[in-house]
């Protein structure tokens, strides 16, 4: 039987209350969001916080809305709400395509986008999406609020810029009129983490690619993205040859580890193939086909 | 820590350690063994219950997090002595063998039908993809859920 070690627990009722409770409980306190990464880690003693500050039931942390030229998603928004969001589907189908293959419906009822970003698992799908879209994270702490580009949010596996005493409150994604987007993932079985994943957005205007983003998870892409792949495509016509060249440049920029999900050469192959498939579909939808 | 949880409509108060998982609260504190406990790693779905109406794997939620909330278990599926259509479907279509996965499977099926009363076979399979069955091969479980969709309770308005 797996049970977490003894731990204190306090429920926060607002962002300010959560910050105060984190302060009061000291450096070994952690916030618990959906708990679907944290509780399993506590059972295995991979995490041993002294206190859990529960940020479920803080209404200001939940929701998806358009504010100016950005889509703003609260950190405590559950995977299920992202999957079924009309706002996200309208602007960026990449969200729905990625969410459909994150875990299973019951896990998606509980797990949150903020928890997923803060867990910083190298295979986290929402991290790949966030980096592809060049979104921003809003982090609030005792010394105020700061906005961090998602491409600088992750410091390495399981490590982010969020410091003790701080919480991630929302994610912001710029709206790009005319953008097409798509997500591709290969998993060993339904509901599993990806062996490799790729998600992209492309804006085609006047016959050339005027903007694009390439995100990847589980393949050792720095900050879950490939600026090399993007540079190879920018300003070019979205021909099959040019998409293939961008996918090859993307794969060359990845350095996956071999693990139980597959060997290095297989993952590199997948990075290239999945990037290519996502690019083809995103180009097609950007061109309105 | 004192918690009060409404289980299948009945308020239950206990003094528990914050580290107690909801599944153990239900099984060990309340002695309600209908909720099963399998993998312990949020993969199998045997421990599925509802919390404020949505299905949750109760091995991956603390009992203190359910404080003040309404929890539903398999014991609460039948209403007024009448089995839920999902339970009838599992009987009619031989939707179980050992029965280990069945409580979680039925709660997830109920939740799915509440949100999508007429699922396709593919939607059913996707809907129960977080519930693992080692016996049936799923075919009869899918049939059981289809039966429930086709034979809703008389109180349910057919769409
Ligand atoms: C069976 C299973 C399969 C899964 N499959 C996938 C998959 O295929 N793809 C995928 O991407 N994910 C998958 N996941 C992970 C899932 O997405 C989790 O929801 C996610 O990793 C963690 O989110 P959470 O809300 O549960 O966070 P928690 O477990 O509550 O928190 C995770 C960490 O982030 C911190 N944290 C959480 N929220 C905040 C915040 N707002 N501010 C500061 N720190 C915070 C916590 O302190 C903790 O350290 C799977 C999980 C399970 C159990
Ligand atoms: S025991 Fe909870 S999912 Fe298996
Ligand atoms: S009937 Fe035995 S696990 Fe499903």
């Amino acid at each position: 039987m797996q049970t977490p070690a003894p731990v204190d627990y306090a429920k926060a009722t607002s962002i300010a209350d959560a910050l105060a409770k984190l302060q009061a409980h000291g450096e070994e306190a952690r916030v618990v969001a959906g708990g679907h990464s944290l509780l399993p880690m506590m059972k295995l003693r991979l995490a041993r916080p002294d206190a859990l500050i529960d940020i479920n039931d803080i209404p200001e942390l939940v929701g998806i809305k358009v504010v100016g030229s950005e889509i703003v998603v609260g950190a405590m928004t559950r995977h299920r709400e992202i999957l079924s969001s009309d706002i996200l589907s309208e602007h960026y189908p990449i969200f729905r395509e990625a969410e459909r293959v994150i875990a299973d419906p019951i896990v998606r009822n509980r797990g949150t986008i903020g928890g997923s970003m803060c867990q910083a698992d190298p295979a986290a799908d929402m991290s790949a999406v966030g980096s592809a879209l060049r979104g921003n994270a809003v982090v609030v702490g005792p010394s105020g609020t700061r906005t961090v580009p998602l491409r600088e949010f992750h410091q390495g596996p399981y490590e982010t810029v969020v410091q003790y005493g701080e919480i991630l409150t929302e994610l912001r994604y710029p709206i790009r009129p005319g953008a097409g987007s798509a997500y591709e993932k290969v998993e060993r079985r339904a509901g599993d983490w990806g062996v490799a994943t790729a998600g992209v957005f492309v804006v085609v205007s006047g016959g050339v690619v005027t903007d694009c983003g390439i995100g990847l998870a589980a393949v050792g892409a720095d900050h879950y993205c490939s600026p090399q792949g993007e540079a190879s495509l920018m300003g070019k016509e979205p021909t099959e040859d040019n998409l293939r060249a961008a996918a090859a440049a993307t794969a060359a920029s990845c350095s996956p580890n071999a693990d139980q999900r597959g060997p290095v050469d297989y993952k590199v192959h997948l990075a290239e193939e999945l990037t290519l498939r996502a690019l083809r579909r995103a180009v097609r939808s950007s061109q309105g086909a | 820590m004192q918690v009060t949880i409404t289980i299948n409509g009945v308020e239950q108060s206990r003094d528990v350690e914050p580290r107690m998982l909801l599944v153990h609260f239900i099984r060990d504190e309340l002695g309600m063994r209908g909720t099963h406990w399998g993998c312990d790693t949020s993969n199998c779905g045997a421990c599925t219950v509802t919390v404020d109406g949505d299905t949750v794997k109760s091995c991956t939620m603390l009992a203190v997090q359910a404080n003040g909330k309404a929890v539903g278990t398999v014991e609460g599926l039948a209403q007024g002595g009448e089995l839920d259509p999902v339970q009838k479907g599992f009987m009619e279509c031989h939707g179980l063998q050992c029965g280990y996965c069945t409580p979680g499977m039925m709660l997830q099926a109920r939740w799915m039908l509440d949100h999508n009363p007429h699922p396709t076979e593919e939607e059913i399979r996707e809907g129960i993809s977080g519930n693992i069955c080692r016996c049936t091969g799923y075919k009869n479980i899918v049939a059981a859920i289809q039966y429930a969709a086709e034979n809703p309770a008389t109180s349910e308005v057919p769409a």
Side-chain angles (χ1 to χ4, degrees):
Chain A
M1 172 169 130
Q2 298 178 2
T3 295
V7 66
D8 283 341
Y9 171 88
K11 174 163 248 163
T13 52
S14 65
I15 293 173
D17 185 39
L19 294 178
K21 289 196 157 102
L22 279 171
Q23 284 295 315
H25 283 85
E27 284 223 333
E28 293 306 314
R30 291 281 177 283
V31 302
V32 58
H36 273 55
S37 293
L38 184 54
L39 292 177
M41 296 218 313
M42 288 171 65
K43 289 177 177 183
L44 296 170
R45 305 295 187 272
L46 292 172
R48 238 193 123 160
D50 289 346
L52 292 178
I53 310 304
D54 191 344
I55 56 170
N56 290 270
D57 306 317
I58 299 183
E60 44 189 324
L61 288 178
V62 183
I64 301 165
K65 54 184 192 275
V66 173
V67 178
S69 59
E70 290 180 315
I71 305 173
V72 178
V73 180
M76 282 305 297
T77 307
R78 316 259 176 208
H79 289 305
R80 173 182 160 220
E81 298 162 270
I82 294 168
L83 175 62
S84 59
S85 160
D86 293 335
I87 292 177
L88 289 173
S89 288
E90 179 193 335
H91 295 283
Y92 287 122
I94 186 174
F95 279 99
R96 187 184 55 216
E97 293 184 7
E99 283 291 350
R100 272 197 66 222
V101 287
I102 292 180
D104 59 64
I106 312 177
V107 170
R108 292 197 296 264
N109 275 345
R110 196 78 194 143
T112 65
I113 188 165
S116 202
M117 297 302 299
C118 290
Q119 180 67 16
D121 190 295
D125 295 290
M126 279 301 115
S127 298
V129 170
S131 281
L133 298 180
R134 284 190 221 101
N136 290 290
V138 178
V139 178
V140 177
S143 46
T145 301
R146 60 203 171 104
T147 302
V148 184
L150 286 181
R151 291 190 173 191
E152 294 163 23
F153 184 77
H154 296 101
Q155 304 284 80
Y158 309 104
E159 212 186 319
T160 72
V161 298
V162 180
Q163 301 296 309
Y164 294 123
E166 291 187 322
I167 61 172
L168 169 66
T169 55
E170 62 190 32
L171 298 147
R172 296 170 163 263
Y173 307 94
I175 295 173
R176 301 176 176 93
S181 65
Y183 198 77
E184 294 278 347
K185 174 174 177 175
V186 165
E187 51 190 2
R188 293 176 302 175
R189 56 180 161 77
D192 197 11
W193 297 83
V195 178
T197 84
V200 309
F201 86 85
V202 180
V203 180
V204 181
S205 175
V208 296
V209 173
T210 55
D211 198 359
C212 70
I214 300 177
L216 305 113
V219 288
D222 259 358
H223 298 285
Y224 301 89
C225 60
S226 177
Q228 296 86 338
E230 293 162 0
S232 148
L233 195 56
M234 282 295 285
K236 303 264 177 64
E237 287 177 37
T239 59
E240 175 71 9
D241 281 351
N242 287 338
L243 299 187
R244 281 184 182 275
T250 299
S253 71
C254 296
S255 45
N257 294 321
D259 60 16
Q260 78 276 17
R261 291 191 172 80
V264 169
D265 53 348
Y266 176 49
K267 293 186 184 183
V268 171
H269 165 75
L270 285 179
E272 179 166 351
E273 181 61 28
L274 297 182
T275 302
L276 179 60
R277 289 181 196 177
L279 283 174
R280 280 186 192 131
R281 289 199 294 118
V283 163
R284 233 178 291 140
S285 66
S286 175
Q287 291 172 325
Chain B
M1 191 180 155
Q2 189 72 20
V3 297
T4 301
I5 302 176
T6 304
I7 308 246
N8 302 328
V10 181
E11 266 195 13
Q12 301 277 4
S13 293
R14 296 286 188 285
D15 190 21
V16 301
E17 278 188 88
R19 64 169 168 163
M20 176 178 276
L21 298 167
L22 181 58
V23 65
H24 299 310
F25 180 84
I26 294 168
R27 289 177 55 86
D28 303 337
E29 286 293 318
L30 304 182
M32 295 169 67
R33 302 293 168 83
T35 301
H36 288 170
W37 169 52
C39 66
D40 221 350
T41 58
S42 49
N43 282 285
C44 77
C47 64
T48 302
V49 300
T50 59
V51 176
D52 282 350
D54 285 326
T55 44
V56 171
K57 295 180 178 182
S58 62
C59 70
T60 312
M61 180 168 178
L62 299 170
V64 290
Q65 293 188 285
N67 191 16
K69 298 191 187 293
V71 171
T73 70
V74 69
E75 288 92 339
L77 261 186
Q79 293 291 326
E82 178 83 359
L83 290 181
D84 187 274
V86 168
Q87 293 172 302
K88 289 183 190 162
F90 273 71
M91 281 175 65
E92 291 297 325
C93 304
H94 198 98
L96 63 146
Q97 289 178 28
C98 79
Y100 208 88
C101 69
T102 314
M105 204 61 96
M106 293 199 302
L107 283 165
Q108 178 60 10
R110 181 71 271 154
W111 182 81
M112 177 180 24
L113 292 174
D114 286 345
H115 291 85
N116 178 8
H118 303 291
T120 62
E121 173 172 349
E122 199 190 331
E123 286 168 341
I124 292 176
R125 288 184 180 271
E126 151 69 15
I128 57 168
S129 60
N131 299 78
I132 293 175
C133 177
R134 314 256 20 200
C135 303
T136 63
Y138 301 100
K139 196 170 186 315
N140 287 358
I141 294 176
V142 173
I145 297 171
Q146 282 166 334
Y147 177 98
E150 286 155 17
N151 299 279
T154 39
S155 57
E156 290 176 46
V157 186

mmCIF file of all heavy atoms in Angstrom, chain A residues 68-99:
data_model
loop_
_atom_site.group_PDB
_atom_site.id
_atom_site.type_symbol
_atom_site.label_atom_id
_atom_site.label_comp_id
_atom_site.label_asym_id
_atom_site.label_seq_id
_atom_site.Cartn_x
_atom_site.Cartn_y
_atom_site.Cartn_z
ATOM 1 N N GLY A 68 -8.159 41.220 -24.792
ATOM 2 C CA GLY A 68 -7.415 41.928 -25.833
ATOM 3 C C GLY A 68 -7.017 40.948 -26.931
ATOM 4 O O GLY A 68 -7.866 40.252 -27.487
ATOM 5 N N SER A 69 -5.738 40.857 -27.211
ATOM 6 C CA SER A 69 -5.285 39.976 -28.291
ATOM 7 C C SER A 69 -4.690 38.679 -27.744
ATOM 8 O O SER A 69 -3.877 38.036 -28.401
ATOM 9 C CB SER A 69 -4.250 40.711 -29.139
ATOM 10 O OG SER A 69 -3.173 41.090 -28.295
ATOM 11 N N GLU A 70 -5.080 38.316 -26.515
ATOM 12 C CA GLU A 70 -4.555 37.079 -25.930
ATOM 13 C C GLU A 70 -5.688 36.192 -25.416
ATOM 14 O O GLU A 70 -6.754 36.680 -25.027
ATOM 15 C CB GLU A 70 -3.651 37.400 -24.739
ATOM 16 C CG GLU A 70 -2.339 38.052 -25.114
ATOM 17 C CD GLU A 70 -1.489 38.333 -23.876
ATOM 18 O OE1 GLU A 70 -2.032 38.831 -22.868
ATOM 19 O OE2 GLU A 70 -0.288 38.030 -23.931
ATOM 20 N N ILE A 71 -5.401 34.886 -25.361
ATOM 21 C CA ILE A 71 -6.289 33.971 -24.653
ATOM 22 C C ILE A 71 -5.653 33.729 -23.280
ATOM 23 O O ILE A 71 -4.463 33.400 -23.190
ATOM 24 C CB ILE A 71 -6.443 32.628 -25.382
ATOM 25 C CG1 ILE A 71 -6.901 32.865 -26.818
ATOM 26 C CG2 ILE A 71 -7.425 31.721 -24.637
ATOM 27 C CD1 ILE A 71 -6.926 31.597 -27.657
ATOM 28 N N VAL A 72 -6.443 33.932 -22.232
ATOM 29 C CA VAL A 72 -5.933 33.794 -20.869
ATOM 30 C C VAL A 72 -6.566 32.554 -20.236
ATOM 31 O O VAL A 72 -7.792 32.417 -20.212
ATOM 32 C CB VAL A 72 -6.272 35.051 -20.034
ATOM 33 C CG1 VAL A 72 -5.781 34.889 -18.600
ATOM 34 C CG2 VAL A 72 -5.648 36.282 -20.682
ATOM 35 N N VAL A 73 -5.720 31.658 -19.757
ATOM 36 C CA VAL A 73 -6.195 30.412 -19.146
ATOM 37 C C VAL A 73 -5.711 30.367 -17.704
ATOM 38 O O VAL A 73 -4.508 30.453 -17.438
ATOM 39 C CB VAL A 73 -5.673 29.184 -19.926
ATOM 40 C CG1 VAL A 73 -6.178 27.890 -19.277
ATOM 41 C CG2 VAL A 73 -6.095 29.245 -21.393
ATOM 42 N N GLY A 74 -6.639 30.266 -16.758
ATOM 43 C CA GLY A 74 -6.284 30.198 -15.343
ATOM 44 C C GLY A 74 -5.525 28.921 -15.030
ATOM 45 O O GLY A 74 -5.784 27.863 -15.621
ATOM 46 N N ALA A 75 -4.591 29.002 -14.083
ATOM 47 C CA ALA A 75 -3.723 27.857 -13.782
ATOM 48 C C ALA A 75 -4.503 26.636 -13.311
ATOM 49 O O ALA A 75 -4.112 25.507 -13.559
ATOM 50 C CB ALA A 75 -2.685 28.256 -12.721
ATOM 51 N N MET A 76 -5.638 26.854 -12.614
ATOM 52 C CA MET A 76 -6.402 25.723 -12.080
ATOM 53 C C MET A 76 -7.463 25.215 -13.052
ATOM 54 O O MET A 76 -8.346 24.451 -12.669
ATOM 55 C CB MET A 76 -7.055 26.102 -10.747
ATOM 56 C CG MET A 76 -6.108 26.089 -9.560
ATOM 57 S SD MET A 76 -5.261 24.503 -9.347
ATOM 58 C CE MET A 76 -6.636 23.408 -9.033
ATOM 59 N N THR A 77 -7.388 25.632 -14.300
ATOM 60 C CA THR A 77 -8.315 25.110 -15.302
ATOM 61 C C THR A 77 -7.960 23.642 -15.574
ATOM 62 O O THR A 77 -6.800 23.309 -15.795
ATOM 63 C CB THR A 77 -8.206 25.948 -16.591
ATOM 64 O OG1 THR A 77 -8.386 27.326 -16.248
ATOM 65 C CG2 THR A 77 -9.262 25.539 -17.604
ATOM 66 N N ARG A 78 -8.969 22.771 -15.490
ATOM 67 C CA ARG A 78 -8.715 21.324 -15.633
ATOM 68 C C ARG A 78 -8.523 20.945 -17.097
ATOM 69 O O ARG A 78 -9.070 21.591 -17.989
ATOM 70 C CB ARG A 78 -9.891 20.520 -15.074
ATOM 71 C CG ARG A 78 -10.413 21.012 -13.745
ATOM 72 C CD ARG A 78 -9.939 20.193 -12.575
ATOM 73 N NE ARG A 78 -10.414 20.813 -11.340
ATOM 74 C CZ ARG A 78 -9.804 20.711 -10.165
ATOM 75 N NH1 ARG A 78 -8.689 20.025 -10.042
ATOM 76 N NH2 ARG A 78 -10.288 21.299 -9.101
ATOM 77 N N HIS A 79 -7.811 19.853 -17.304
ATOM 78 C CA HIS A 79 -7.596 19.362 -18.674
ATOM 79 C C HIS A 79 -8.925 19.234 -19.415
ATOM 80 O O HIS A 79 -9.038 19.578 -20.584
ATOM 81 C CB HIS A 79 -6.915 17.996 -18.646
ATOM 82 C CG HIS A 79 -5.479 18.045 -18.216
ATOM 83 N ND1 HIS A 79 -4.543 18.838 -18.844
ATOM 84 C CD2 HIS A 79 -4.819 17.406 -17.227
ATOM 85 C CE1 HIS A 79 -3.359 18.672 -18.252
ATOM 86 N NE2 HIS A 79 -3.504 17.807 -17.260
ATOM 87 N N ARG A 80 -9.958 18.734 -18.712
ATOM 88 C CA ARG A 80 -11.245 18.519 -19.362
ATOM 89 C C ARG A 80 -11.835 19.824 -19.901
ATOM 90 O O ARG A 80 -12.441 19.854 -20.977
ATOM 91 C CB ARG A 80 -12.195 17.906 -18.345
ATOM 92 C CG ARG A 80 -13.598 17.790 -18.824
ATOM 93 C CD ARG A 80 -14.453 17.215 -17.717
ATOM 94 N NE ARG A 80 -15.846 17.511 -17.956
ATOM 95 C CZ ARG A 80 -16.697 17.864 -17.001
ATOM 96 N NH1 ARG A 80 -16.266 17.993 -15.762
ATOM 97 N NH2 ARG A 80 -17.928 18.092 -17.294
ATOM 98 N N GLU A 81 -11.661 20.928 -19.148
ATOM 99 C CA GLU A 81 -12.217 22.197 -19.600
ATOM 100 C C GLU A 81 -11.449 22.722 -20.813
ATOM 101 O O GLU A 81 -12.020 23.395 -21.678
ATOM 102 C CB GLU A 81 -12.181 23.218 -18.458
ATOM 103 C CG GLU A 81 -13.031 22.808 -17.258
ATOM 104 C CD GLU A 81 -12.657 23.589 -16.000
ATOM 105 O OE1 GLU A 81 -11.771 23.136 -15.243
ATOM 106 O OE2 GLU A 81 -13.253 24.642 -15.788
ATOM 107 N N ILE A 82 -10.157 22.421 -20.868
ATOM 108 C CA ILE A 82 -9.363 22.859 -22.028
ATOM 109 C C ILE A 82 -9.781 22.066 -23.255
ATOM 110 O O ILE A 82 -9.954 22.611 -24.338
ATOM 111 C CB ILE A 82 -7.866 22.697 -21.716
ATOM 112 C CG1 ILE A 82 -7.504 23.672 -20.595
ATOM 113 C CG2 ILE A 82 -7.005 22.947 -22.948
ATOM 114 C CD1 ILE A 82 -6.169 23.440 -19.986
ATOM 115 N N LEU A 83 -9.989 20.761 -23.056
ATOM 116 C CA LEU A 83 -10.417 19.894 -24.157
ATOM 117 C C LEU A 83 -11.723 20.391 -24.769
ATOM 118 O O LEU A 83 -11.901 20.358 -25.982
ATOM 119 C CB LEU A 83 -10.578 18.462 -23.637
ATOM 120 C CG LEU A 83 -11.142 17.414 -24.598
ATOM 121 C CD1 LEU A 83 -10.230 17.245 -25.803
ATOM 122 C CD2 LEU A 83 -11.315 16.076 -23.894
ATOM 123 N N SER A 84 -12.654 20.866 -23.940
ATOM 124 C CA SER A 84 -13.979 21.191 -24.465
ATOM 125 C C SER A 84 -14.170 22.697 -24.693
ATOM 126 O O SER A 84 -15.277 23.139 -24.977
ATOM 127 C CB SER A 84 -15.054 20.669 -23.506
ATOM 128 O OG SER A 84 -14.883 21.259 -22.234
ATOM 129 N N SER A 85 -13.104 23.477 -24.615
ATOM 130 C CA SER A 85 -13.250 24.930 -24.744
ATOM 131 C C SER A 85 -13.452 25.376 -26.192
ATOM 132 O O SER A 85 -12.620 25.112 -27.067
ATOM 133 C CB SER A 85 -11.998 25.621 -24.181
ATOM 134 O OG SER A 85 -11.895 26.943 -24.679
ATOM 135 N N ASP A 86 -14.546 26.067 -26.443
ATOM 136 C CA ASP A 86 -14.796 26.594 -27.786
ATOM 137 C C ASP A 86 -13.806 27.694 -28.147
ATOM 138 O O ASP A 86 -13.378 27.802 -29.294
ATOM 139 C CB ASP A 86 -16.229 27.151 -27.880
ATOM 140 C CG ASP A 86 -17.271 26.045 -27.774
ATOM 141 O OD1 ASP A 86 -16.927 24.895 -28.095
ATOM 142 O OD2 ASP A 86 -18.413 26.339 -27.368
ATOM 143 N N ILE A 87 -13.445 28.512 -27.166
ATOM 144 C CA ILE A 87 -12.502 29.605 -27.446
ATOM 145 C C ILE A 87 -11.170 29.030 -27.929
ATOM 146 O O ILE A 87 -10.614 29.448 -28.949
ATOM 147 C CB ILE A 87 -12.268 30.451 -26.169
ATOM 148 C CG1 ILE A 87 -13.550 31.212 -25.803
ATOM 149 C CG2 ILE A 87 -11.107 31.421 -26.378
ATOM 150 C CD1 ILE A 87 -13.437 32.020 -24.511
ATOM 151 N N LEU A 88 -10.653 28.040 -27.212
ATOM 152 C CA LEU A 88 -9.363 27.468 -27.602
ATOM 153 C C LEU A 88 -9.471 26.746 -28.940
ATOM 154 O O LEU A 88 -8.587 26.856 -29.789
ATOM 155 C CB LEU A 88 -8.842 26.527 -26.513
ATOM 156 C CG LEU A 88 -8.378 27.234 -25.233
ATOM 157 C CD1 LEU A 88 -8.035 26.216 -24.146
ATOM 158 C CD2 LEU A 88 -7.168 28.122 -25.507
ATOM 159 N N SER A 89 -10.568 26.004 -29.141
ATOM 160 C CA SER A 89 -10.722 25.273 -30.410
ATOM 161 C C SER A 89 -10.785 26.216 -31.598
ATOM 162 O O SER A 89 -10.257 25.923 -32.661
ATOM 163 C CB SER A 89 -12.003 24.442 -30.389
ATOM 164 O OG SER A 89 -11.844 23.358 -29.539
ATOM 165 N N GLU A 90 -11.461 27.355 -31.393
ATOM 166 C CA GLU A 90 -11.616 28.296 -32.502
ATOM 167 C C GLU A 90 -10.260 28.865 -32.935
ATOM 168 O O GLU A 90 -9.935 28.898 -34.108
ATOM 169 C CB GLU A 90 -12.551 29.442 -32.068
ATOM 170 C CG GLU A 90 -12.748 30.494 -33.150
ATOM 171 C CD GLU A 90 -13.395 31.763 -32.603
ATOM 172 O OE1 GLU A 90 -14.100 31.692 -31.566
ATOM 173 O OE2 GLU A 90 -13.170 32.830 -33.221
ATOM 174 N N HIS A 91 -9.456 29.269 -31.958
ATOM 175 C CA HIS A 91 -8.186 29.916 -32.311
ATOM 176 C C HIS A 91 -7.053 28.916 -32.504
ATOM 177 O O HIS A 91 -6.184 29.113 -33.353
ATOM 178 C CB HIS A 91 -7.807 30.934 -31.234
ATOM 179 C CG HIS A 91 -8.756 32.080 -31.143
ATOM 180 N ND1 HIS A 91 -8.751 33.114 -32.049
ATOM 181 C CD2 HIS A 91 -9.765 32.334 -30.281
ATOM 182 C CE1 HIS A 91 -9.702 33.975 -31.740
ATOM 183 N NE2 HIS A 91 -10.341 33.521 -30.664
ATOM 184 N N TYR A 92 -7.050 27.873 -31.694
ATOM 185 C CA TYR A 92 -5.922 26.936 -31.705
ATOM 186 C C TYR A 92 -6.377 25.499 -31.487
ATOM 187 O O TYR A 92 -6.351 24.983 -30.356
ATOM 188 C CB TYR A 92 -4.922 27.318 -30.608
ATOM 189 C CG TYR A 92 -4.111 28.556 -30.891
ATOM 190 C CD1 TYR A 92 -4.139 29.650 -30.031
ATOM 191 C CD2 TYR A 92 -3.305 28.629 -32.029
ATOM 192 C CE1 TYR A 92 -3.385 30.784 -30.274
ATOM 193 C CE2 TYR A 92 -2.552 29.759 -32.292
ATOM 194 C CZ TYR A 92 -2.593 30.840 -31.420
ATOM 195 O OH TYR A 92 -1.848 31.956 -31.669
ATOM 196 N N PRO A 93 -6.754 24.793 -32.572
ATOM 197 C CA PRO A 93 -7.144 23.382 -32.434
ATOM 198 C C PRO A 93 -6.053 22.525 -31.785
ATOM 199 O O PRO A 93 -6.337 21.436 -31.295
ATOM 200 C CB PRO A 93 -7.379 22.939 -33.885
ATOM 201 C CG PRO A 93 -7.655 24.186 -34.643
ATOM 202 C CD PRO A 93 -6.887 25.291 -33.950
ATOM 203 N N ILE A 94 -4.823 23.015 -31.768
ATOM 204 C CA ILE A 94 -3.722 22.274 -31.141
ATOM 205 C C ILE A 94 -4.070 21.897 -29.691
ATOM 206 O O ILE A 94 -3.689 20.832 -29.218
ATOM 207 C CB ILE A 94 -2.413 23.108 -31.201
ATOM 208 C CG1 ILE A 94 -1.218 22.304 -30.689
ATOM 209 C CG2 ILE A 94 -2.544 24.419 -30.449
ATOM 210 C CD1 ILE A 94 0.117 23.043 -30.865
ATOM 211 N N PHE A 95 -4.828 22.740 -28.997
ATOM 212 C CA PHE A 95 -5.170 22.423 -27.597
ATOM 213 C C PHE A 95 -6.039 21.174 -27.521
ATOM 214 O O PHE A 95 -5.787 20.268 -26.741
ATOM 215 C CB PHE A 95 -5.910 23.608 -26.941
ATOM 216 C CG PHE A 95 -4.990 24.685 -26.455
ATOM 217 C CD1 PHE A 95 -4.783 25.824 -27.215
ATOM 218 C CD2 PHE A 95 -4.331 24.548 -25.246
ATOM 219 C CE1 PHE A 95 -3.919 26.822 -26.772
ATOM 220 C CE2 PHE A 95 -3.481 25.544 -24.790
ATOM 221 C CZ PHE A 95 -3.270 26.684 -25.558
ATOM 222 N N ARG A 96 -7.095 21.152 -28.354
ATOM 223 C CA ARG A 96 -8.017 20.020 -28.300
ATOM 224 C C ARG A 96 -7.303 18.742 -28.726
ATOM 225 O O ARG A 96 -7.458 17.681 -28.125
ATOM 226 C CB ARG A 96 -9.212 20.299 -29.221
ATOM 227 C CG ARG A 96 -10.335 19.278 -29.124
ATOM 228 C CD ARG A 96 -11.428 19.596 -30.138
ATOM 229 N NE ARG A 96 -10.860 19.692 -31.482
ATOM 230 C CZ ARG A 96 -11.280 20.544 -32.411
ATOM 231 N NH1 ARG A 96 -12.266 21.370 -32.166
ATOM 232 N NH2 ARG A 96 -10.699 20.587 -33.592
ATOM 233 N N GLU A 97 -6.478 18.858 -29.772
ATOM 234 C CA GLU A 97 -5.785 17.666 -30.267
ATOM 235 C C GLU A 97 -4.822 17.117 -29.230
ATOM 236 O O GLU A 97 -4.661 15.904 -29.088
ATOM 237 C CB GLU A 97 -5.049 17.990 -31.575
ATOM 238 C CG GLU A 97 -6.014 18.300 -32.708
ATOM 239 C CD GLU A 97 -5.312 18.541 -34.049
ATOM 240 O OE1 GLU A 97 -4.078 18.331 -34.138
ATOM 241 O OE2 GLU A 97 -6.009 18.929 -35.011
ATOM 242 N N ALA A 98 -4.175 17.999 -28.487
ATOM 243 C CA ALA A 98 -3.240 17.539 -27.443
ATOM 244 C C ALA A 98 -4.005 16.996 -26.244
ATOM 245 O O ALA A 98 -3.662 15.937 -25.705
ATOM 246 C CB ALA A 98 -2.323 18.684 -27.018
ATOM 247 N N GLU A 99 -5.052 17.689 -25.834
ATOM 248 C CA GLU A 99 -5.794 17.259 -24.639
ATOM 249 C C GLU A 99 -6.461 15.898 -24.833
ATOM 250 O O GLU A 99 -6.567 15.118 -23.894
ATOM 251 C CB GLU A 99 -6.847 18.302 -24.248
ATOM 252 C CG GLU A 99 -6.273 19.522 -23.536
ATOM 253 C CD GLU A 99 -5.755 19.204 -22.131
ATOM 254 O OE1 GLU A 99 -5.999 18.097 -21.623
ATOM 255 O OE2 GLU A 99 -5.083 20.070 -21.540
#
